[in-house]
Amino acid sequence: MRVDKQKLREIIRELKKWKAHATILLSLYVPPGRPVSDVLNMLRQELSITDNIKLKKTKSAVQRALSMAIDRLSKVPKIPDKGLVLFAGENPDTGESIIVMLIPPEEVSVYYYRTDKYFHTEFLEEMVSESNIIGLLLIERDAATIGMLKGNRLKIVEELEDYIPGKHEKGGQSQRRYDRIIEQMVEEFYKRVGEHANRVFLPLYEQGRLKGILVGGPAYAKYDFLEKDYLDYRLKKIVLPELIDVGYQGEAGLREMILKAGDLLKEQEFADLLKYIEEFKLHLAKDDGLAVYGEDEVRNALEMGMVAVLIISEEREDVEKWLELAKKGGAKALVLSSDVPESEWFNKTFNGLAGILRARIYS
């Protein structure tokens, strides 16, 4: 089965649900050019030594996984041009089994086989990780939040704090000395924030995945921070031109900064999600007939070409179907990540599916 990145995300999510008490879940990655016969011989050899496994239940589960893998792989005449990935396993307690074989959207670069207590999806996760990342930095004199915007996901990487005393009116030389001490403490904090930000962002920049850095915070702290060389010179070059006034730290502050950034983040799906989730809630509150939900209602509106924006939870099993319907109906489709705080409310209240109409539909 050849899969695209959206389908691969769904498969990874399902595979991650499988956990075992013993090393019985089989993961296999085969790069293009590797003869199928070589892989089958390796699996058969692994099967032949399973008799050495002492626990009967574990032995049976491993043998079952290997047998499923051998059976499925023996039907493949040649490893495809992008390679092949296979997962097989069995739950010894329930007897439930799983076998997944797929051709990924990007070329498999490793030859890898392992049985473990979980499926090794990390090589697939690299394929679906966003290559268009925006770094996020909230900075004030005594606190900072470092985050990343990756497609439809917001991630907080680090939160930093320090104690910086406020100004006191001592007068004379004591006041000037006190002020210098405070400024030195602020400078040391900015230096620490810069070191952490460089550690997070530079590897992404060198990989060509970091497209920009959005900086925000209250008052003048963000300007003071960027004036000096706390950030690596390469990162300073990709700081987005507008600095955003934000009154909070943490996730609330990052969300506020993203919403205020507007066109600076026009290519970022998460920014669109926040904007359209807020718009959807506004239409609900106004009861103006422009919010649509319920599978039948959404489908009918799509078929009429009346949906401007379709929001689909990534937790639905039929994401691909709705993406296709949105495409046919000329709707902008956004997949709602579970990382977005509203996702739980959206899933429970609207079953993970809703839309914003171009105009009210009168029946």
Tab-separated table of all heavy atoms in Angstrom, residues 169-225:
chain	number	residue	atom	x	y	z
A	169	GLU	N	14.180	53.411	44.647
A	169	GLU	CA	14.693	54.777	44.656
A	169	GLU	C	15.653	54.960	45.832
A	169	GLU	O	15.261	55.360	46.926
A	169	GLU	CB	13.524	55.776	44.747
A	169	GLU	CG	12.570	55.737	43.570
A	169	GLU	CD	13.266	56.040	42.253
A	169	GLU	OE1	14.212	56.856	42.249
A	169	GLU	OE2	12.875	55.450	41.236
A	170	LYS	N	16.909	54.603	45.627
A	170	LYS	CA	17.899	54.761	46.684
A	170	LYS	C	18.544	56.142	46.613
A	170	LYS	O	18.908	56.725	47.625
A	170	LYS	CB	18.983	53.681	46.572
A	170	LYS	CG	18.481	52.275	46.882
A	170	LYS	CD	19.616	51.274	46.748
A	170	LYS	CE	19.150	49.876	47.087
A	170	LYS	NZ	18.797	49.717	48.510
A	171	GLY	N	18.727	56.645	45.385
A	171	GLY	CA	19.370	57.942	45.214
A	171	GLY	C	20.879	57.849	45.226
A	171	GLY	O	21.463	56.931	45.801
A	172	GLY	N	21.522	58.776	44.527
A	172	GLY	CA	22.970	58.879	44.529
A	172	GLY	C	23.667	57.669	43.925
A	172	GLY	O	23.132	56.976	43.060
A	173	GLN	N	24.895	57.453	44.399
A	173	GLN	CA	25.713	56.375	43.848
A	173	GLN	C	25.128	55.008	44.139
A	173	GLN	O	25.275	54.082	43.358
A	173	GLN	CB	27.134	56.476	44.417
A	173	GLN	CG	27.871	57.696	43.936
A	173	GLN	CD	29.354	57.425	43.763
A	173	GLN	OE1	29.865	56.400	44.174
A	173	GLN	NE2	30.029	58.383	43.151
A	174	SER	N	24.486	54.856	45.280
A	174	SER	CA	23.870	53.566	45.620
A	174	SER	C	22.839	53.172	44.566
A	174	SER	O	22.746	52.003	44.155
A	174	SER	CB	23.202	53.641	46.994
A	174	SER	OG	24.163	53.812	47.994
A	175	GLN	N	22.061	54.162	44.136
A	175	GLN	CA	21.046	53.886	43.104
A	175	GLN	C	21.691	53.447	41.805
A	175	GLN	O	21.258	52.477	41.183
A	175	GLN	CB	20.193	55.139	42.856
A	175	GLN	CG	19.162	54.972	41.743
A	175	GLN	CD	18.116	53.937	42.110
A	175	GLN	OE1	17.608	53.952	43.224
A	175	GLN	NE2	17.799	53.042	41.194
A	176	ARG	N	22.753	54.164	41.380
A	176	ARG	CA	23.414	53.801	40.119
A	176	ARG	C	24.056	52.416	40.205
A	176	ARG	O	23.992	51.636	39.254
A	176	ARG	CB	24.463	54.867	39.764
A	176	ARG	CG	23.842	56.197	39.327
A	176	ARG	CD	24.868	57.103	38.696
A	176	ARG	NE	25.863	57.559	39.663
A	176	ARG	CZ	25.705	58.619	40.443
A	176	ARG	NH1	24.570	59.332	40.388
A	176	ARG	NH2	26.666	58.987	41.285
A	177	ARG	N	24.661	52.115	41.354
A	177	ARG	CA	25.272	50.799	41.532
A	177	ARG	C	24.198	49.700	41.515
A	177	ARG	O	24.370	48.658	40.900
A	177	ARG	CB	26.054	50.769	42.844
A	177	ARG	CG	26.818	49.461	43.047
A	177	ARG	CD	27.854	49.567	44.139
A	177	ARG	NE	27.256	49.954	45.413
A	177	ARG	CZ	27.453	51.129	46.026
A	177	ARG	NH1	28.218	52.059	45.457
A	177	ARG	NH2	26.880	51.400	47.184
A	178	TYR	N	23.095	49.980	42.169
A	178	TYR	CA	21.981	49.020	42.204
A	178	TYR	C	21.429	48.786	40.793
A	178	TYR	O	21.170	47.648	40.387
A	178	TYR	CB	20.886	49.552	43.129
A	178	TYR	CG	19.784	48.563	43.419
A	178	TYR	CD1	19.976	47.538	44.341
A	178	TYR	CD2	18.546	48.664	42.778
A	178	TYR	CE1	18.958	46.640	44.613
A	178	TYR	CE2	17.535	47.764	43.044
A	178	TYR	CZ	17.743	46.752	43.968
A	178	TYR	OH	16.747	45.852	44.230
A	179	ASP	N	21.287	49.868	40.037
A	179	ASP	CA	20.773	49.744	38.661
A	179	ASP	C	21.719	48.920	37.795
A	179	ASP	O	21.271	48.116	36.967
A	179	ASP	CB	20.580	51.129	38.036
A	179	ASP	CG	19.387	51.868	38.623
A	179	ASP	OD1	18.567	51.204	39.293
A	179	ASP	OD2	19.287	53.091	38.403
A	180	ARG	N	23.031	49.133	37.970
A	180	ARG	CA	24.011	48.362	37.183
A	180	ARG	C	23.921	46.870	37.505
A	180	ARG	O	24.022	46.030	36.616
A	180	ARG	CB	25.433	48.881	37.459
A	180	ARG	CG	25.769	50.169	36.733
A	180	ARG	CD	27.273	50.410	36.668
A	180	ARG	NE	27.874	50.457	38.000
A	180	ARG	CZ	27.986	51.583	38.724
A	180	ARG	NH1	27.513	52.731	38.244
A	180	ARG	NH2	28.556	51.554	39.911
A	181	ILE	N	23.729	46.566	38.781
A	181	ILE	CA	23.606	45.155	39.188
A	181	ILE	C	22.372	44.526	38.535
A	181	ILE	O	22.416	43.409	38.008
A	181	ILE	CB	23.524	45.041	40.724
A	181	ILE	CG1	24.864	45.411	41.346
A	181	ILE	CG2	23.129	43.617	41.140
A	181	ILE	CD1	24.826	45.555	42.860
A	182	ILE	N	21.254	45.253	38.544
A	182	ILE	CA	20.020	44.738	37.925
A	182	ILE	C	20.224	44.521	36.429
A	182	ILE	O	19.858	43.469	35.883
A	182	ILE	CB	18.834	45.706	38.170
A	182	ILE	CG1	18.465	45.714	39.654
A	182	ILE	CG2	17.631	45.303	37.321
A	182	ILE	CD1	17.388	46.715	40.011
A	183	GLU	N	20.832	45.511	35.758
A	183	GLU	CA	21.051	45.380	34.312
A	183	GLU	C	21.988	44.220	33.992
A	183	GLU	O	21.819	43.532	32.984
A	183	GLU	CB	21.602	46.691	33.737
A	183	GLU	CG	20.589	47.813	33.699
A	183	GLU	CD	19.288	47.406	33.026
A	183	GLU	OE1	19.343	46.824	31.921
A	183	GLU	OE2	18.215	47.636	33.611
A	184	GLN	N	22.946	43.991	34.867
A	184	GLN	CA	23.849	42.861	34.664
A	184	GLN	C	23.099	41.535	34.807
A	184	GLN	O	23.323	40.591	34.046
A	184	GLN	CB	25.003	42.926	35.673
A	184	GLN	CG	26.088	41.880	35.407
A	184	GLN	CD	27.266	42.032	36.359
A	184	GLN	OE1	27.312	42.930	37.183
A	184	GLN	NE2	28.213	41.136	36.243
A	185	MET	N	22.179	41.480	35.765
A	185	MET	CA	21.365	40.266	35.954
A	185	MET	C	20.481	40.028	34.734
A	185	MET	O	20.324	38.894	34.274
A	185	MET	CB	20.508	40.414	37.217
A	185	MET	CG	21.318	40.393	38.513
A	185	MET	SD	20.295	40.720	39.981
A	185	MET	CE	19.369	39.192	40.092
A	186	VAL	N	19.888	41.109	34.199
A	186	VAL	CA	19.059	40.992	32.992
A	186	VAL	C	19.900	40.487	31.824
A	186	VAL	O	19.481	39.603	31.065
A	186	VAL	CB	18.392	42.338	32.646
A	186	VAL	CG1	17.697	42.259	31.285
A	186	VAL	CG2	17.400	42.741	33.727
A	187	GLU	N	21.104	41.067	31.692
A	187	GLU	CA	21.986	40.674	30.604
A	187	GLU	C	22.370	39.204	30.706
A	187	GLU	O	22.404	38.481	29.700
A	187	GLU	CB	23.243	41.553	30.620
A	187	GLU	CG	24.044	41.444	29.340
A	187	GLU	CD	25.100	42.540	29.239
A	187	GLU	OE1	24.778	43.695	29.577
A	187	GLU	OE2	26.220	42.221	28.832
A	188	GLU	N	22.623	38.729	31.917
A	188	GLU	CA	22.963	37.316	32.118
A	188	GLU	C	21.779	36.415	31.752
A	188	GLU	O	21.952	35.344	31.183
A	188	GLU	CB	23.377	37.066	33.571
A	188	GLU	CG	24.751	37.606	33.926
A	188	GLU	CD	25.853	36.961	33.100
A	188	GLU	OE1	25.826	35.736	32.922
A	188	GLU	OE2	26.731	37.703	32.597
A	189	PHE	N	20.576	36.880	32.083
A	189	PHE	CA	19.384	36.094	31.732
A	189	PHE	C	19.207	36.042	30.218
A	189	PHE	O	18.945	34.977	29.643
A	189	PHE	CB	18.140	36.674	32.399
A	189	PHE	CG	16.876	35.925	32.046
A	189	PHE	CD1	16.680	34.621	32.488
A	189	PHE	CD2	15.896	36.512	31.263
A	189	PHE	CE1	15.530	33.917	32.159
A	189	PHE	CE2	14.748	35.822	30.924
A	189	PHE	CZ	14.562	34.518	31.379
A	190	TYR	N	19.347	37.197	29.545
A	190	TYR	CA	19.240	37.224	28.083
A	190	TYR	C	20.278	36.293	27.444
A	190	TYR	O	19.995	35.606	26.459
A	190	TYR	CB	19.444	38.643	27.561
A	190	TYR	CG	18.285	39.589	27.783
A	190	TYR	CD1	18.423	40.958	27.531
A	190	TYR	CD2	17.047	39.137	28.237
A	190	TYR	CE1	17.373	41.848	27.723
A	190	TYR	CE2	15.997	40.017	28.436
A	190	TYR	CZ	16.162	41.360	28.183
A	190	TYR	OH	15.122	42.224	28.367
A	191	LYS	N	21.463	36.288	28.013
A	191	LYS	CA	22.532	35.422	27.498
A	191	LYS	C	22.124	33.954	27.617
A	191	LYS	O	22.320	33.161	26.698
A	191	LYS	CB	23.826	35.694	28.264
A	191	LYS	CG	25.021	34.897	27.763
A	191	LYS	CD	26.280	35.246	28.566
A	191	LYS	CE	27.458	34.396	28.102
A	191	LYS	NZ	28.673	34.686	28.905
A	192	ARG	N	21.526	33.606	28.761
A	192	ARG	CA	21.077	32.213	28.966
A	192	ARG	C	19.967	31.851	27.986
A	192	ARG	O	19.964	30.756	27.412
A	192	ARG	CB	20.596	32.043	30.409
A	192	ARG	CG	20.175	30.617	30.758
A	192	ARG	CD	20.256	30.388	32.262
A	192	ARG	NE	19.235	31.099	32.998
A	192	ARG	CZ	18.077	30.551	33.378
A	192	ARG	NH1	17.798	29.287	33.073
A	192	ARG	NH2	17.198	31.255	34.056
A	193	VAL	N	19.030	32.773	27.777
A	193	VAL	CA	17.944	32.524	26.821
A	193	VAL	C	18.522	32.322	25.422
A	193	VAL	O	18.116	31.413	24.688
A	193	VAL	CB	16.925	33.686	26.823
A	193	VAL	CG1	15.907	33.512	25.685
A	193	VAL	CG2	16.202	33.762	28.160
A	194	GLY	N	19.477	33.183	25.046
A	194	GLY	CA	20.102	33.051	23.732
A	194	GLY	C	20.783	31.703	23.551
A	194	GLY	O	20.664	31.079	22.487
A	195	GLU	N	21.478	31.242	24.573
A	195	GLU	CA	22.151	29.939	24.489
A	195	GLU	C	21.153	28.818	24.284
A	195	GLU	O	21.365	27.911	23.474
A	195	GLU	CB	22.967	29.700	25.770
A	195	GLU	CG	24.208	30.576	25.874
A	195	GLU	CD	24.870	30.497	27.242
A	195	GLU	OE1	24.276	29.860	28.153
A	195	GLU	OE2	25.973	31.061	27.401
A	196	HIS	N	20.041	28.864	25.018
A	196	HIS	CA	19.007	27.832	24.876
A	196	HIS	C	18.347	27.905	23.505
A	196	HIS	O	18.097	26.875	22.871
A	196	HIS	CB	17.959	27.980	25.985
A	196	HIS	CG	18.413	27.472	27.315
A	196	HIS	ND1	17.949	26.298	27.870
A	196	HIS	CD2	19.298	27.975	28.206
A	196	HIS	CE1	18.525	26.098	29.044
A	196	HIS	NE2	19.350	27.110	29.268
A	197	ALA	N	18.041	29.119	23.050
A	197	ALA	CA	17.411	29.283	21.730
A	197	ALA	C	18.340	28.796	20.627
A	197	ALA	O	17.896	28.122	19.683
A	197	ALA	CB	17.034	30.750	21.511
A	198	ASN	N	19.623	29.115	20.719
A	198	ASN	CA	20.587	28.650	19.716
A	198	ASN	C	20.640	27.126	19.680
A	198	ASN	O	20.705	26.510	18.612
A	198	ASN	CB	21.984	29.200	20.021
A	198	ASN	CG	22.076	30.708	19.801
A	198	ASN	OD1	21.282	31.281	19.053
A	198	ASN	ND2	23.025	31.349	20.453
A	199	ARG	N	20.620	26.514	20.873
A	199	ARG	CA	20.678	25.054	20.954
A	199	ARG	C	19.449	24.416	20.296
A	199	ARG	O	19.551	23.376	19.657
A	199	ARG	CB	20.770	24.637	22.424
A	199	ARG	CG	21.175	23.183	22.641
A	199	ARG	CD	21.259	22.856	24.121
A	199	ARG	NE	22.097	23.819	24.830
A	199	ARG	CZ	21.776	24.376	25.993
A	199	ARG	NH1	20.627	24.095	26.581
A	199	ARG	NH2	22.597	25.230	26.581
A	200	VAL	N	18.306	25.045	20.437
A	200	VAL	CA	17.066	24.503	19.856
A	200	VAL	C	16.983	24.761	18.352
A	200	VAL	O	16.662	23.865	17.565
A	200	VAL	CB	15.833	25.113	20.563
A	200	VAL	CG1	14.547	24.730	19.824
A	200	VAL	CG2	15.770	24.653	22.010
A	201	PHE	N	17.279	25.994	17.938
A	201	PHE	CA	16.991	26.415	16.573
A	201	PHE	C	18.106	26.160	15.553
A	201	PHE	O	17.821	25.930	14.376
A	201	PHE	CB	16.624	27.901	16.544
A	201	PHE	CG	15.364	28.245	17.287
A	201	PHE	CD1	15.275	29.401	18.050
A	201	PHE	CD2	14.261	27.409	17.215
A	201	PHE	CE1	14.111	29.719	18.736
A	201	PHE	CE2	13.088	27.708	17.899
A	201	PHE	CZ	13.018	28.861	18.659
A	202	LEU	N	19.356	26.226	15.984
A	202	LEU	CA	20.452	26.095	15.011
A	202	LEU	C	20.446	24.765	14.254
A	202	LEU	O	20.638	24.756	13.027
A	202	LEU	CB	21.808	26.314	15.685
A	202	LEU	CG	22.320	27.751	15.708
A	202	LEU	CD1	23.649	27.832	16.440
A	202	LEU	CD2	22.468	28.318	14.292
A	203	PRO	N	20.240	23.612	14.932
A	203	PRO	CA	20.189	22.360	14.165
A	203	PRO	C	19.099	22.364	13.095
A	203	PRO	O	19.305	21.857	11.980
A	203	PRO	CB	19.905	21.301	15.236
A	203	PRO	CG	20.413	21.902	16.503
A	203	PRO	CD	20.143	23.360	16.378
A	204	LEU	N	17.943	22.947	13.401
A	204	LEU	CA	16.845	23.026	12.428
A	204	LEU	C	17.224	23.957	11.275
A	204	LEU	O	16.890	23.699	10.116
A	204	LEU	CB	15.570	23.519	13.104
A	204	LEU	CG	14.996	22.615	14.207
A	204	LEU	CD1	13.888	23.332	14.962
A	204	LEU	CD2	14.480	21.312	13.620
A	205	TYR	N	17.906	25.054	11.600
A	205	TYR	CA	18.364	25.984	10.569
A	205	TYR	C	19.352	25.298	9.636
A	205	TYR	O	19.264	25.424	8.400
A	205	TYR	CB	19.014	27.202	11.231
A	205	TYR	CG	19.648	28.169	10.255
A	205	TYR	CD1	18.896	29.154	9.636
A	205	TYR	CD2	21.009	28.067	9.945
A	205	TYR	CE1	19.477	30.031	8.730
A	205	TYR	CE2	21.599	28.936	9.037
A	205	TYR	CZ	20.829	29.922	8.434
A	205	TYR	OH	21.408	30.773	7.531
A	206	GLU	N	20.294	24.546	10.210
A	206	GLU	CA	21.319	23.874	9.403
A	206	GLU	C	20.720	22.766	8.536
A	206	GLU	O	21.255	22.444	7.478
A	206	GLU	CB	22.408	23.307	10.325
A	206	GLU	CG	23.265	24.416	10.934
A	206	GLU	CD	24.131	23.938	12.081
A	206	GLU	OE1	23.964	22.767	12.512
A	206	GLU	OE2	24.985	24.719	12.551
A	207	GLN	N	19.577	22.198	8.980
A	207	GLN	CA	18.887	21.190	8.178
A	207	GLN	C	18.004	21.820	7.099
A	207	GLN	O	17.412	21.111	6.281
A	207	GLN	CB	17.999	20.311	9.077
A	207	GLN	CG	18.765	19.465	10.082
A	207	GLN	CD	17.864	18.944	11.188
A	207	GLN	OE1	16.638	18.968	11.094
A	207	GLN	NE2	18.466	18.469	12.269
A	208	GLY	N	17.879	23.136	7.112
A	208	GLY	CA	17.037	23.824	6.138
A	208	GLY	C	15.561	23.759	6.464
A	208	GLY	O	14.710	24.060	5.622
A	209	ARG	N	15.221	23.402	7.713
A	209	ARG	CA	13.810	23.231	8.088
A	209	ARG	C	13.234	24.457	8.803
A	209	ARG	O	12.026	24.608	8.882
A	209	ARG	CB	13.650	21.993	8.974
A	209	ARG	CG	14.042	20.700	8.281
A	209	ARG	CD	14.124	19.540	9.260
A	209	ARG	NE	12.842	19.275	9.873
A	209	ARG	CZ	12.698	18.583	11.000
A	209	ARG	NH1	13.748	18.130	11.645
A	209	ARG	NH2	11.497	18.359	11.493
A	210	LEU	N	14.110	25.300	9.343
A	210	LEU	CA	13.642	26.482	10.068
A	210	LEU	C	13.522	27.651	9.098
A	210	LEU	O	14.513	28.113	8.545
A	210	LEU	CB	14.625	26.826	11.198
A	210	LEU	CG	14.200	27.941	12.146
A	210	LEU	CD1	13.019	27.486	13.006
A	210	LEU	CD2	15.364	28.360	13.037
A	211	LYS	N	12.298	28.123	8.891
A	211	LYS	CA	12.053	29.161	7.884
A	211	LYS	C	12.006	30.574	8.457
A	211	LYS	O	12.067	31.545	7.722
A	211	LYS	CB	10.723	28.868	7.157
A	211	LYS	CG	10.676	27.496	6.506
A	211	LYS	CD	11.830	27.267	5.561
A	211	LYS	CE	11.776	25.895	4.914
A	211	LYS	NZ	12.953	25.599	4.107
A	212	GLY	N	11.876	30.685	9.761
A	212	GLY	CA	11.827	32.011	10.368
A	212	GLY	C	11.663	31.884	11.867
A	212	GLY	O	11.350	30.805	12.386
A	213	ILE	N	11.882	33.002	12.583
A	213	ILE	CA	11.696	33.040	14.034
A	213	ILE	C	10.806	34.224	14.367
A	213	ILE	O	11.084	35.361	13.962
A	213	ILE	CB	13.044	33.162	14.777
A	213	ILE	CG1	13.936	31.956	14.466
A	213	ILE	CG2	12.820	33.269	16.281
A	213	ILE	CD1	15.328	32.050	15.066
A	214	LEU	N	9.739	33.963	15.073
A	214	LEU	CA	8.808	35.005	15.500
A	214	LEU	C	9.131	35.350	16.954
A	214	LEU	O	9.179	34.478	17.814
A	214	LEU	CB	7.369	34.498	15.378
A	214	LEU	CG	6.234	35.479	15.678
A	214	LEU	CD1	6.260	36.647	14.707
A	214	LEU	CD2	4.886	34.766	15.614
A	215	VAL	N	9.366	36.635	17.200
A	215	VAL	CA	9.760	37.082	18.539
A	215	VAL	C	8.687	38.014	19.098
A	215	VAL	O	8.192	38.905	18.399
A	215	VAL	CB	11.125	37.804	18.502
A	215	VAL	CG1	11.493	38.322	19.897
A	215	VAL	CG2	12.215	36.870	17.989
A	216	GLY	N	8.347	37.803	20.356
A	216	GLY	CA	7.354	38.658	20.999
A	216	GLY	C	7.642	38.824	22.474
A	216	GLY	O	8.550	38.196	23.023
A	217	GLY	N	6.839	39.664	23.119
A	217	GLY	CA	6.991	39.899	24.550
A	217	GLY	C	6.438	41.260	24.914
A	217	GLY	O	6.018	42.028	24.041
A	218	PRO	N	6.446	41.597	26.189
A	218	PRO	CA	5.919	42.903	26.618
A	218	PRO	C	6.942	44.015	26.445
A	218	PRO	O	8.152	43.781	26.476
A	218	PRO	CB	5.622	42.664	28.106
A	218	PRO	CG	6.634	41.639	28.513
A	218	PRO	CD	6.853	40.760	27.316
A	219	ALA	N	6.458	45.195	26.250
A	219	ALA	CA	7.289	46.417	26.250
A	219	ALA	C	8.550	46.292	25.399
A	219	ALA	O	8.492	45.825	24.265
A	219	ALA	CB	7.623	46.791	27.701
A	220	TYR	N	9.707	46.710	25.970
A	220	TYR	CA	10.926	46.835	25.175
A	220	TYR	C	11.867	45.639	25.286
A	220	TYR	O	12.923	45.636	24.647
A	220	TYR	CB	11.679	48.107	25.589
A	220	TYR	CG	10.914	49.374	25.263
A	220	TYR	CD1	10.211	50.050	26.255
A	220	TYR	CD2	10.877	49.869	23.960
A	220	TYR	CE1	9.495	51.195	25.960
A	220	TYR	CE2	10.162	51.013	23.653
A	220	TYR	CZ	9.467	51.679	24.651
A	220	TYR	OH	8.758	52.807	24.349
A	221	ALA	N	11.528	44.659	26.101
A	221	ALA	CA	12.453	43.538	26.321
A	221	ALA	C	12.848	42.856	25.020
A	221	ALA	O	14.010	42.525	24.799
A	221	ALA	CB	11.823	42.528	27.278
A	222	LYS	N	11.885	42.666	24.119
A	222	LYS	CA	12.165	41.966	22.855
A	222	LYS	C	13.149	42.758	21.985
A	222	LYS	O	13.987	42.170	21.289
A	222	LYS	CB	10.868	41.680	22.099
A	222	LYS	CG	9.944	42.855	21.917
A	222	LYS	CD	8.598	42.400	21.374
A	222	LYS	CE	7.596	43.544	21.279
A	222	LYS	NZ	7.192	44.052	22.627
A	223	TYR	N	13.038	44.072	22.032
A	223	TYR	CA	13.975	44.905	21.263
A	223	TYR	C	15.373	44.869	21.884
A	223	TYR	O	16.377	44.760	21.180
A	223	TYR	CB	13.466	46.346	21.186
A	223	TYR	CG	12.117	46.487	20.515
A	223	TYR	CD1	10.955	46.615	21.269
A	223	TYR	CD2	12.015	46.464	19.123
A	223	TYR	CE1	9.712	46.729	20.659
A	223	TYR	CE2	10.769	46.587	18.504
A	223	TYR	CZ	9.631	46.710	19.273
A	223	TYR	OH	8.402	46.813	18.660
A	224	ASP	N	15.405	44.973	23.221
A	224	ASP	CA	16.695	44.923	23.918
A	224	ASP	C	17.408	43.602	23.651
A	224	ASP	O	18.624	43.573	23.442
A	224	ASP	CB	16.485	45.087	25.428
A	224	ASP	CG	15.932	46.463	25.792
A	224	ASP	OD1	16.080	47.393	24.966
A	224	ASP	OD2	15.349	46.595	26.887
A	225	PHE	N	16.641	42.525	23.643
A	225	PHE	CA	17.224	41.193	23.430
A	225	PHE	C	17.844	41.079	22.040
A	225	PHE	O	18.939	40.532	21.876
A	225	PHE	CB	16.152	40.120	23.619
A	225	PHE	CG	16.635	38.721	23.359
A	225	PHE	CD1	17.378	38.035	24.305
A	225	PHE	CD2	16.356	38.088	22.151
A	225	PHE	CE1	17.832	36.742	24.065
A	225	PHE	CE2	16.806	36.806	21.894
A	225	PHE	CZ	17.549	36.132	22.858
